[in-house]
Amino acid sequence: MTRSEELQKLHEYQNSICECKLKETAIQPVFGDGNPDAKIVFIGEAPGKKEDETGKPFVGAAGKFLAEMLASIGMERKDIYITNIVKYRPPNNRDPEDHEKRECAAWLYAELSFIKPDVVIFLGRHSMTYFLPELKISDAHGKLVHRKIPNLPTEYFFPLYHPAAALYNGGMRATLLDDFGKIPKVLEKIKETRK
Ligand code: URA
């Protein structure tokens, strides 16, 4: 089996055991997508309408913006892996609740353990505060966090504003673009510390 096929099996298994009730209202689960050997894993919040319809994460407006930002640092979707903390669309795109994040968390841990990225990039406060509850996204964005978190394969975390929140907010958009530009240096810095 290839790594992609193994990852597909992991998703199918986790979907079959996940007890999140959003399963009942969503059209389908939205599995993480991208390179199973990626050095960067992005974690968003939860699927929206487009993602629910297609079964792929970040395919709507936020995903388009993300693709533009990736291009700005010479990367493409195929270079990274992207997933959400909650795998099923919450009704009317409401915020995911804490218990929904907890119910989907084993799945996320399994994906991360499989991919073993150098860095996890949180897209917005929902995924960040699940792992780093004391942080505020307004202070933490664009700063590399070094932290040992049990059962996670990396100690490096880089929080960013969520692209959907920044899309139509001029100030936040500029900040997100600026923070995104720091990603190549962040990767270099992590590589240096491993030498
Ligand atoms: N926003 C998210 O957080 N995730 C998606 O997959 C799409 C939009």
Side-chain angles (χ1 to χ4, degrees), residues 105-139:
W107 190 338
L108 182 59
Y109 273 87
E111 287 175 283
L112 291 170
S113 301
F114 182 87
I115 295 163
K116 297 190 175 54
D118 288 346
V119 62
V120 166
I121 299 186
F122 298 121
L123 293 175
R125 69 187 165 87
H126 281 282
S127 59
M128 180 190 76
T129 53
Y130 187 80
F131 294 101
L132 303 165
E134 78 286 4
L135 297 188
K136 292 244 173 308
I137 193 75
S138 52
D139 298 326

Side-chain angles (χ1 to χ4, degrees), residues 153-172:
T154 180
E155 296 176 3
Y156 292 99
F157 304 91
F158 192 60
L160 293 177
Y161 282 129
H162 195 291
L167 199 51
Y168 304 111
N169 174 327
M172 210 189 267

Side-chain angles (χ1 to χ4, degrees), residues 36-49:
D37 299 313
K39 296 207 176 328
I40 309 176
V41 168
F42 286 87
I43 308 178
E45 179 180 325
K49 190 168 189 284

Side-chain angles (χ1 to χ4, degrees), residues 39-185:
K39 296 207 176 328
I40 309 176
V41 168
F42 286 87
I43 308 178
E45 179 180 325
K49 190 168 189 284
K50 270 246 163 71
E51 289 77 22
D52 191 34
E53 285 165 0
T54 58
K56 272 199 158 205
F58 285 91
V59 289
K64 237 179 114 192
F65 184 29
L66 187 71
E68 280 172 35
M69 289 191 285
L70 282 169
S72 77
I73 57 165
M75 295 186 110
E76 298 176 49
R77 279 277 290 240
K78 68 173 174 50
D79 300 317
I80 58 112
Y81 181 83
I82 188 157
T83 192
N84 285 302
I85 183 151
V86 167
K87 301 294 196 275
Y88 310 92
R89 182 192 182 202
N92 305 314
N93 293 351
R94 66 156 169 75
D95 284 352
E97 292 178 8
D98 285 347
H99 70 93
E100 291 160 349
K101 295 181 192 171
R102 282 196 300 275
E103 285 148 6
C104 289
W107 190 338
L108 182 59
Y109 273 87
E111 287 175 283
L112 291 170
S113 301
F114 182 87
I115 295 163
K116 297 190 175 54
D118 288 346
V119 62
V120 166
I121 299 186
F122 298 121
L123 293 175
R125 69 187 165 87
H126 281 282
S127 59
M128 180 190 76
T129 53
Y130 187 80
F131 294 101
L132 303 165
E134 78 286 4
L135 297 188
K136 292 244 173 308
I137 193 75
S138 52
D139 298 326
H141 70 87
K143 294 177 194 155
L144 184 64
V145 179
H146 182 219
R147 182 83 51 91
K148 280 191 173 64
I149 299 178
N151 303 315
L152 284 187
T154 180
E155 296 176 3
Y156 292 99
F157 304 91
F158 192 60
L160 293 177
Y161 282 129
H162 195 291
L167 199 51
Y168 304 111
N169 174 327
M172 210 189 267
R173 186 186 169 98
T175 304
L176 176 55
L177 283 165
D178 193 44
D179 289 345
F180 214 94
K182 298 176 189 168
I183 292 174
K185 278 226 166 85

